[in-house]
Every structure is written in structure tokens, then in C-alpha cells.
Amino acid sequence: MGVLLAVLSLSWLCQGAEPDLEHRIKAAFLYKFLFFAEIPEKSFAADDKTIVIGILGSEKFAGLLQGVAGSRINDRRLEIRSLGENADGPSLRACQVLFMEARLRSQEARVLQVLGDSPVLTVGESEGFLQRGGMVRFVTIKERLAFEINRKTANRVGIRFRSKLLRLAVRVIEEAKRNGQD
Amino acid sequence: MGKTEQKTRDQRGSGLIGRLSIRSKLLVLVMVVSSSALVLVSAAFVLYQQYTFRQRLVKDSATQARMLAENCIGALSFRDRKDAQEVLNSLRAKPDIAYAALYQENDEVFAAYRRPEFSDPPQVTPVTYRHRFEGSWLLVKEKIVLNDTVIGSVFLQTDLRQLDEIFWQSFLVAVLASLGVLLLAFFISARLQGLISAPITHLAKVAETVSRKEDYRMRASKKGEDEIGDLTDAFNNMLDQVEKRDLALRESEELLRAVFESTGDGMLIVNAERLVAGYNQRFASIWQLAAAPLEQTTDRGLFANAGLRSRDSKFFWTGMDELYNSRDVSMDEVQLEDDRTFERFSSPLIKNDEQAGRIWSFREITYRKRADVELKQLRHLLSNIIDSMPSVLVGVDTAGRITQWNREAEKLTGISADVARRRPLADVAPRWAGVAGRIAQAIREGKPQKEQNIRSIEGQVEKISDITVYPLISGNVETVEGVVIRVDDVTERVKLDEQLRHAQKLESVGRLAGSVAHDLNNLLSPMLGYAQLLRLELEEGDPQHTKASEIEKAALGARALVQQLLAFSRKQVLKMKVVDLDEVIANFTDILQRTVRPNIKIQVTQTANLMHIKADVTQLEQILMNLVVNAQDAVPEGGTIAIATANVELGQTEKGKNLNLAPGPYVVFTVSDQGTGMDAYTLQNMFEPFFTTKEAGQGTGLGLATIDGIVKQHHGQIDVHSQLGRGTSFEIFFPGVTDKKDQSESQPVSAESNSAPPAETILVVEDTASVRELVCEILHKQGYQVIDHGNAEDCMKFMAGFDEPVQLLLTDIVMPGINGGELYDRLRAIRPDLRVVYMSGYSEEVIDRQGILKPGVDFIQKPIAVQDLLEKVSAVLHRER
């Protein structure tokens, strides 16, 4: 509870859009995405009762999430893994949510390629992340943190987003049919 | 509802509702019940409506809040106020939501919505409830939870005015529905109450009619199988019973009336107030009353108005007042003016154990009384008859106890009827113990039993009795209730029987003697006649004269013997005249004295003023002779034979003397001796003909029999007293003659007075030739012209052709062919002057039976003595006509 309060207070603070606060809010969003997205069972190793958020980037950012590590989500224990900057395929694919910091933009293509069709919810910051095959990208609009969603990519690997999340997204990339509308 | 109101309604109920008809009551009931039900149902409906609506409102609001929360969860999670506001604004579609707010976890308002019409939302923070009613608001708060963590809450404020609206709507619906239902109920119950009230009304009407008309034959018709149906059944059942009772009561009344009227008794009912309650026709006719009693008539008034009065009014009313106050029954006899007698009964009339009056009944007993008297007289007569019976009559019941004991029984036993009655016969009269078997037999067989000639000694006299036992058979049942024993003293009868037998014996002997005498007389007539003629023709001193005399004497002796035979057979013709017995005895004493042996003295005692008797002197002399000769035999050594006479007045007292003579004056003469006397056997049999104590050849045995016959012919009796060794005395009773004049005394006729030779012609008819010739010769010698014939026919032939005068017919009576009487009658037809003298060897009695010897007719008994014949013929010829 205390952790949540902390997260919420962080999110509250996030309104201020300071760089540290921005990370904190992103960490909170990252955590909350778990509640608004459905990750297929095949993503989980057999008998593995953990749900893993992998962080490609700084230890610091991973540390922001340590407050919620161990909490139970859908009977799974939340594990926060700091994957460093060069994580190999299996460790990448072992995650259910993978966050890539914006400064690692160069690796985005390789990582997304390694992941291929693995059911891993990929969250990024960099521009063109969604076009490269990412699923959710944080954007800041008028000092307010928002996100975009590539539903097409997510659908391909079997990840479903809740409508409430989709409604809150500033942009949603739909299937080909829908592309014309975008 | 207040208490006062309640009370008022109750009072009204008992008053007003009580007066309502069942119809109205049912209607009121239905309306009250249905309206009450409707009020309750409507209230429940409205309240339930309110309640459920509130609940629904709460639920709706909660749902709304939850939906809001759900919709806002994303917005709140990702801090999207705009999205949150949009979500809240969608509440515009719900006009009753006045205010909505989205709170963050720290209860800060994240977004809010207010409906413009509601300007003044209430202060709602902080909210700690899920829902609450406050004023006209419903406040609902819903937490927003993400992964078990409350991340905020939603608050909704709903306006409740619509609830009021709905309340009033439902209230209106309820009221309208109730009114409709009430109206329906009114119409339905108005229609259906008939189902209940109609049968009750019908029942009530029938009951009212029944009680008004008292017609218990009516019945209520049953309209259903409900309780009213049961009530109708019960009512009809009750009517059945009432009808039955009514019928029974009526029948009983009619029966009573019929009994009351049919009885032969006059009945009067008087109530406790002494008012006449009723009487029957019989009573009215007895007292000659009007048919129906007047109202308010007292018993005294009733009898005062009666057509008849009681003979003794004071007696009639005596004790009446006490009777009316008592429960006793009374019975007495009342006699009416018209001589009718009534038995008056009265008994109390009891109603409910209280004296309600008295019932009088008058039963006519006039005839019963008369019958009683007659019965009493009859009973008296019967008892007199029974007592006057010469027989002993004793009634005995089956147990052997005496029930009847007549006077003769008292006399015989010396035990009075009062003592004898009801005692066992065996105790009272052991003398009849011997008939016990007969009594038992009579009871057993129901037939009379007889025991005859029972001999007993009463005192010193032998008595002979017949005992007859008659069973007493009661009426039609044929049961023997006892016996009547009749004891007849037949001593007298038995003796009479013996006498009768004796008389019959005498008569048969007499008849024999009579017939013999007739033949003897016919034989003796010529002997005597010719001997007399012969003697008359011869000179006295001539030896032939003596012989003729001897023949004549012997013939006379024979004639006497025949006379004696006739005398004992009482067949002789007596020549009765009034004589002085003393004189007869005196005249005869010499002859007697000469007849007896010399050592015997006859002593005669005469009586001064001895009554005369009517007797045949010859017979008296015969008696004297026989008795004296017998007495002489009793005194072989000699002695005195006493002859005495006496006047005797026989009364009842002389009965013991063995005399069977009517009371009156008698002359008795006694011939007694002190000789050997007689034993009982001789005494008993001495009068039997041919009974003799003498040696054979010495006596005829006719002596005493002849005396007995003579005495009886003279209406007298012989009484014999004899004791062996002390002597015997014969007392001979003759009825005394008080009137000395004797009409039957024949006029003395002397043959000598007609000495001049007669010139008359006499017609002699006699079938016996010797007698005819003798008679002819006697008459011829006397100078008469004699014409003789052997029978009547010859005589009549001769007379038919004979013109000379004939003065006298002398004829035999009994002849073959026409008898003497008839001959005379026929000859008289041609010779009216012809006189007649009959001759006969038979006695006068025999001839009399042939109807010839009428009084005054002349008769001559054979054998004919010359003198007798001539005297008779002369007397008849010279009798003045």
C-alpha cells in the first residue's frame, strides 16, 4: 500500500513534469500497463509464477520500480529485471513487459527483431518506435505524459489492450484496414 | 381510529346493524371486509412499491456509480481528467442525478458533474458510506479499485422527488383499484348474498308460516349442501318430529276423546277452581244435561241445572270439599230420582304433581243391584233347597276340604256347617272315610261315582244309605274343582222296595188264586145249588136230607176257601158298610169261643163310644177268626186270648210304630196272647202267602196273608209286636168314620117279602152249561118264565123274533164273542125296559176293567147261592125306576 501510495504520489508529482518526476510517472505507467493489457499464456514459462517487467537501460529507472516488485498481479509475482543495455534474446523473451529507454534507440531495431513474434509488451520512448515494431510509446504533450499504442503489432503477437487504455492513448495504430483512417 | 369513535360505532352496530336484514348485513360485512382488505393491500402495495423502488433506486445508483467507477478507472489510473470529465458528463442522460464527483485516493475531487437545475448540492465530503438517504437525496459512494488497491471513489447524488411522484402514482392506482374492486365486490356480493340469505329467508318464512298456521306438514326446500342446507335438513327433521308428535298428540287426544266418549260411565272433569272442564255424552244423558257445558260453570251449578236430581242431595255433597283437596280416590253409590243407582267414583286429577281438579265417573249399577238382589234371593233359595233336601250334601274340594255342608249333614253328624267348612272331610266325618277312593276316582275321571246300600247302625236302628259322588266340573275348562257327596238315607225306600216286592208277589199269587177261584166258583155253583135244591126237596129227617146237607156244607166250606183266596188277593167284592166293631166282635164271640179249644178263654174288652168303621162284616169276622185260631196255636197249654178295641188318634208321633198311615182318627182292635211269641224270621215273613209255621198239611199258609189283604182293602194296617216266650199282639187299625150315615149301605131286601109267585120272564145267557141249567132251575122253581141261551149271538137272534115281554136279562159277563155288557146294550136298543143282573166268577175288579160294572149296576158273584140269586133278581125286578 505504501508502495502504491508512493507510486500515486509519484504520479501526482509527475504532473510537475520534472525529469526525475517524468521517470517516476513512466515507471508507474509501466506498472499500470500490466492491468490494462492481456498477455497471452504462452509468454509465460511453464510453472513460472512470475510476471516480469524487463528494463533495458539504466539501473536507476529499474530502481524506481523496485517499490512494486514482489506485488501480486493475477496470481503472479511481479519481478523487475534490469536487463542492462545489451541483453540477449532469451532474457528479452523471458520478459512480459520490456521497456527501452530512449537513449538506447539504436538497439531498438535489433531488440524488436530478436523478440520477433514473442508475446512481449514492448514499451519505448523514441520517435518511430511504433513504426519499428514497438507497441506502446510514451509521449509528452503540453507537459503531460501520454502514450501511443500500435495495436497492429500487439495483435500480431496476441497481446490485447483494454479499451479503457486504448481510449486514453493519444494515438492508436490499428490494423491495415484501419490505417487509412489514421 | 380513536376510542370514542370505536364506541360509537359499536353502539350503532348493536342498534342499527342489529335491525338490518341478513341481506344488508351480508352486504355491509362484505363491504367492510373487502374495503379493510383493500386498504391494507393498497397500503402494503404502496409501501412495497416505495420500498422496492428505493431499493431499486439504491441498486441503480450503486450500479451507476460502479459503472462510473469502472469507466473512470483508466482515467484515474492515468490521470486523465478530461476523460474523467467526459465520463461524468455522460450523466446528463439521467435527469435525477443532481451531482456526481470522482475522488482521488486522497479524497481530492478529480472531476465533478452538476446538473444545472440543482444549484445547491449538499456537502458530501468526506463520504464514508456506500449509500445514504438524506432529505430528498440519495447519496451513493463507490470505491474505485485497481488490483485490490483503492485508487479513488465515485460519488452520486440522486434526486428523490421522482420517488414521491411514484408514491402518489401508486397511491392513486391503489385508490382507483380499490374503488373498482369495492364496486365489483358490491355488485358481486349483492348478487351472491342471495346464495346465503335466500335459503335463510326461505327458512325463516317457512318457520314463521309453520308457527302461524300450526301446519307442521310444511317443509323448507333445501338449496344446497352447506350449513344452511344442514340447517334446512335439521329444521325439516325437526318439523318431521314435530309433525309426528303433533300427529301422535292428536291421535292420543282423539283416542282419549274416543275412550272418554265410548265408556259406559258418565264422566265429569272438574278443575281445581271447581269449574266444569268437561263431561262426556253419557254423563249428559245420565243427568239430562245440555250437550256442552257452559263456560265458567261450577260443579254445583252443573248439578243444579241437571234434569235429574240425586235422591239424597245432602249425601251427594257430603265430603265433597275435602275430596277436592285430597289425593284419595272415592267410591260410593248415588241414587237418582228415577230410581237408577250409580256407583260414583272419583280420583284426583294430577298435573305436574299438583292437584288440578277431580274426575268423577258415574256407572249405572241399577241392574247389577237388581241382579245382586235376585242373586241373593236365588242363593237363598238354593241354600234353602239344599238345606231342605232330605239328602246329606257335602261339597269337597280337590284337596279334600269341605266347602259345603247342608242342614241334613248337620243333622246327621251333629256338626254345624260353620265348624265343618274348610276342614278336611276325613277329620270332620270319619264315617265317610270309605268313600275317599270314590272321591279320588270322581276327580280323576270326572264321572259320578255311586256306592249303594251301605248299611250302618245309627243308635240302634239300622240305616241304609246310598252315597253318590258327583264331580264338580267348572264351566268350559272341564276341570274338576271338587266333588259333591250326596248321602241318601234309603232305609225307607229299601223297605218300601221290599214291601213292593211283597205286594207284587201277593198280586201274582192273588191273580193265580183269582183265576182258580173263578173256575172253582163255576164248579161250586151247581154243587151248592143242586145240594140246596135237593135238601129243600127232601123232608127233614130223611136220611137223604142229611146227605144233601153235608154236600151243601162241604160246598159252603169250599166257597169260603175260595172267598178267602179272593180276599187275600184283594179281588173279592167287599160289602162295605158302617159298623160298630164292638158289636161285630160281640156277635162273633160265641162262634169264636166255640171254635177254639176248651182250655182257651176269649176275653173281650169293649170301648165306650168306639168310633164306627166302614167295613165288610164278613171280612172282619174272617180276621177275628184267623187271628184267634193263630193265637190258639201259640198257647198250646191254654190261656187267655184278649180282644180289645180302642179309639186312636194317629199323629206324626206314631211314625215310630212302623205304621204307614195318614194321621187321623182310627179304631184299633188288638188280639193278644201270652204265648210262645215269634222269632225275627217269622216276624219278617209271616204275611208271605203260603208261609206257615205249622206242619205240612195242617195249614194253608194263607191266614195272615188273607188278613193283611183284607186290612189293606179296608185302608188299614196291621202292627205286630212279638217277643219270644212273652207273647204276641196284633194291632189292627181301621180308619174311624165320624159320619155315621152310610150311603153305600144296601137297602135291606127280603126274599120273603115277595112271596107271591112272580110272572116275569127272565132271559138267562151263560156259556157254562151247568151254571146255566142251575140258574134256570132255581128261577123256574121260583115261578119265573125262563128263556136261556149259551151265547149272546143266539140270544140276540132269538130276541129279534120274539115279541113277548121280557123283564130281566141275567147274563154272564165274560163269554166268548159278544160279552154280557154289550149284549145288554144291544138288547136295550129293541127293549128299552129291559133290566139286567150280571153274573161272574171273576172279581168285581176284573169285570170293572171291561167297562161293564158302572155304579148302580147289579152283579152277582159266582158261585151262586140260591137265596142270593133270588134276592138279587127280585130286588132288581121290583126296584122303582
Side-chain angles (χ1 to χ4, degrees), chain B residues 839-872:
Chain B
M839 310 178 283
S840 182
Y842 291 103
S843 71
E844 205 168 350
E845 207 171 320
V846 174
I847 298 155
D848 194 29
R849 269 188 241 131
Q850 299 196 354
I852 295 159
L853 283 184
K854 296 171 186 85
V857 167
D858 294 283
F859 172 77
I860 186 160
Q861 175 82 51
K862 293 177 185 174
I864 295 158
V866 177
Q867 194 60 32
D868 292 347
L869 177 67
L870 293 178
E871 278 175 9
K872 177 61 86 179

Side-chain angles (χ1 to χ4, degrees), chain B residues 729-780:
Chain B
S729 79
F730 284 83
E731 288 178 341
I732 293 147
F733 290 81
F734 292 104
V737 176
T738 42
D739 183 8
K740 286 196 179 181
K741 213 174 168 206
D742 180 18
Q743 267 116 35
S744 69
E745 196 171 359
S746 50
Q747 290 161 345
V749 175
S750 168
E752 278 77 12
S753 61
N754 291 310
S755 50
E760 290 93 349
T761 304
I762 297 172
L763 189 57
V764 176
V765 184
E766 165 66 64
D767 59 330
T768 313
S770 59
V771 176
R772 188 175 68 238
E773 283 160 19
L774 171 67
V775 168
C776 289
E777 185 155 356
I778 292 169
L779 293 175
H780 188 71

Side-chain angles (χ1 to χ4, degrees), chain B residues 264-265 282 286 308 311 332-345 362-376:
Chain B
D265 299 350
R282 173 71 182 142
I286 288 172
L308 276 175
R311 186 144 282 178
D332 52 15
E333 281 179 18
V334 173
Q335 209 175 14
L336 262 55
E337 289 172 323
D338 59 358
D339 275 343
R340 286 186 298 169
T341 310
F342 287 85
E343 227 165 39
R344 178 171 66 171
F345 296 94
F362 293 84
R363 175 173 301 175
E364 181 161 5
I365 54 164
T366 317
Y367 300 105
R368 202 182 78 196
K369 291 281 272 189
R370 262 180 227 163
D372 273 355
V373 170
E374 279 167 16
L375 190 67
K376 234 172 258 176

Side-chain angles (χ1 to χ4, degrees), chain A residues 4 8 32 35 164 167, chain B residues 70 77 80 83 105 147 149:
Chain A
L4 272 172
L8 283 169
K32 287 185 180 172
F35 303 104
K164 288 164 187 160
R167 199 180 64 199
Chain B
E70 196 62 32
S77 292
D80 193 335
D83 185 59
E105 197 191 10
N147 194 32
T149 307

Side-chain angles (χ1 to χ4, degrees), chain B residues 310-356:
Chain B
S310 71
R311 186 144 282 178
D312 187 348
S313 179
K314 200 177 159 195
F315 168 77
F316 191 85
W317 292 102
T318 300
M320 194 72 100
D321 296 336
E322 285 76 16
L323 270 179
Y324 272 100
N325 292 320
S326 98
R327 295 203 166 190
D328 297 341
V329 294
S330 74
M331 196 193 101
D332 52 15
E333 281 179 18
V334 173
Q335 209 175 14
L336 262 55
E337 289 172 323
D338 59 358
D339 275 343
R340 286 186 298 169
T341 310
F342 287 85
E343 227 165 39
R344 178 171 66 171
F345 296 94
S346 81
S347 53
L349 183 63
I350 307 286
K351 278 186 193 163
N352 298 325
D353 206 36
E354 275 187 26
Q355 226 135 309

Side-chain angles (χ1 to χ4, degrees), chain A residues 1 4-5 8 11-12 15 29 31-33 35-36 72-74 144 147 164-165 167-168, chain B residues 70-81 83 87 104-105 108 146-147 149-151:
Chain A
M1 197 64 168
L4 272 172
L5 275 172
L8 283 169
S11 74
W12 178 258
Q15 303 281 5
F29 273 33
Y31 168 67
K32 287 185 180 172
F33 283 145
F35 303 104
F36 295 93
R72 301 198 72 84
I73 301 165
N74 296 333
R144 184 177 165 267
F147 50 83
K164 288 164 187 160
L165 190 68
R167 199 180 64 199
L168 293 172
Chain B
E70 196 62 32
N71 284 333
C72 289
I73 194 166
L76 199 59
S77 292
F78 300 101
R79 303 280 169 202
D80 193 335
R81 278 184 201 270
D83 185 59
V87 171
Q104 290 179 20
E105 197 191 10
E108 274 180 39
L146 183 66
N147 194 32
T149 307
V150 177
I151 59 168

Side-chain angles (χ1 to χ4, degrees), chain B residues 458-584:
Chain B
E458 302 282 341
Q460 291 188 328
V461 188
E462 187 188 38
K463 286 263 182 188
I464 305 164
S465 342
D466 281 358
I467 297 183
T468 313
V469 180
Y470 295 93
L472 270 178
I473 294 170
S474 72
N476 27 13
V477 196
E478 299 262 327
T479 341
V480 180
E481 289 183 333
V483 293
V484 173
I485 302 166
R486 197 184 80 201
V487 182
D488 294 311
D489 182 358
V490 293
T491 316
E492 205 67 12
R493 202 189 69 203
V494 167
K495 282 186 179 162
L496 279 173
D497 273 352
E498 284 164 6
Q499 283 174 12
L500 179 67
R501 228 173 297 129
H502 171 69
Q504 280 168 343
K505 199 196 264 178
L506 280 186
E507 194 179 343
S508 63
V509 171
R511 197 165 290 156
L512 174 70
S515 62
V516 170
H518 171 258
D519 291 340
L520 282 175
N521 282 341
N522 275 343
L523 293 172
L524 282 172
S525 288
M527 284 186 214
L528 184 60
Y530 286 120
Q532 285 176 339
L533 286 177
L534 204 59
R535 181 178 54 82
L536 289 172
E537 283 169 12
L538 293 170
E539 291 295 319
E540 240 175 294
D542 186 332
Q544 299 302 323
H545 182 271
T546 314
K547 285 174 190 165
S549 289
E550 283 305 311
I551 294 168
E552 191 187 350
K553 224 194 259 176
L556 280 172
R559 192 176 76 160
L561 184 62
V562 171
Q563 286 293 326
Q564 211 166 314
L565 272 175
L566 286 171
F568 110 81
S569 67
R570 282 172 274 161
K571 297 276 160 54
Q572 64 190 338
V573 178
L574 294 179
K575 301 186 183 87
M576 303 291 269
K577 47 185 178 186
V578 175
V579 293
D580 179 356
L581 185 59
D582 273 344
E583 197 181 307
V584 172

